[in-house]
Structures are given as structure tokens and as C-alpha cells.
Amino acid sequence: MNREITIHYSSNCPYTNQEQEIQITYAELLFSGSLIPDYKIARFSCPHVECPYPSQSRNHHCPVVDSAPKRPN
């Protein structure tokens, strides 16, 4: 069974021009034959819904999400 892990992460946000904390939920992916799970960002929550950066990002994420770790800590 796959699970989800939610963390709070902060990094510099070019929209607010300051440190911004967001909530990121990772989906744990278990592949057949592997004992080590992989993770994918399933969703994120930011208080700045009017931010233009997600539409400009290659992943349709905000810059704070783009700088997040590949695995939840």
C-alpha cells in the first residue's frame, strides 16, 4: 500500500521576495523488486493562489516546490 507524507518546507519565493513556507505532500511509490521507496510530489499548498509562477514553471509548480527535496525528510 502506498502512503503519503506531508511536510512543511520553506525557501525563497520570488513572488513575495521573502522566505515562504508551504505544505508539500509526497506520494510514496513502491516498485516491484525494490526495497527502497521512491517519492513524487503529489500536491502542495501555498497561501498565494494568485501567484503567476506555477504557469511559468516547467513542472507547473512554484519555485519553492521546485527547490524542495526529492524525498521527504
Side-chain angles (χ1 to χ4, degrees), residues 7-10 20-24 44-47 62 64-65 68:
I7 65 166
H8 290 270
Y9 175 74
S10 62
Q20 180 65 52
E21 183 176 286
I22 63 171
Q23 185 173 313
I24 301 173
F44 68 95
S45 176
C46 175
C62 73
V64 178
V65 173

Side-chain angles (χ1 to χ4, degrees), residues 30-62:
L30 296 172
F31 294 104
S32 178
S34 177
L35 298 176
I36 301 170
D38 199 6
Y39 295 90
K40 177 181 178 180
I41 294 176
R43 60 189 169 277
F44 68 95
S45 176
C46 175
H48 301 287
V49 295
E50 72 282 359
C51 176
Y53 284 92
S55 64
Q56 299 170 2
S57 167
R58 68 187 184 288
N59 296 324
H60 301 288
H61 291 154
C62 73

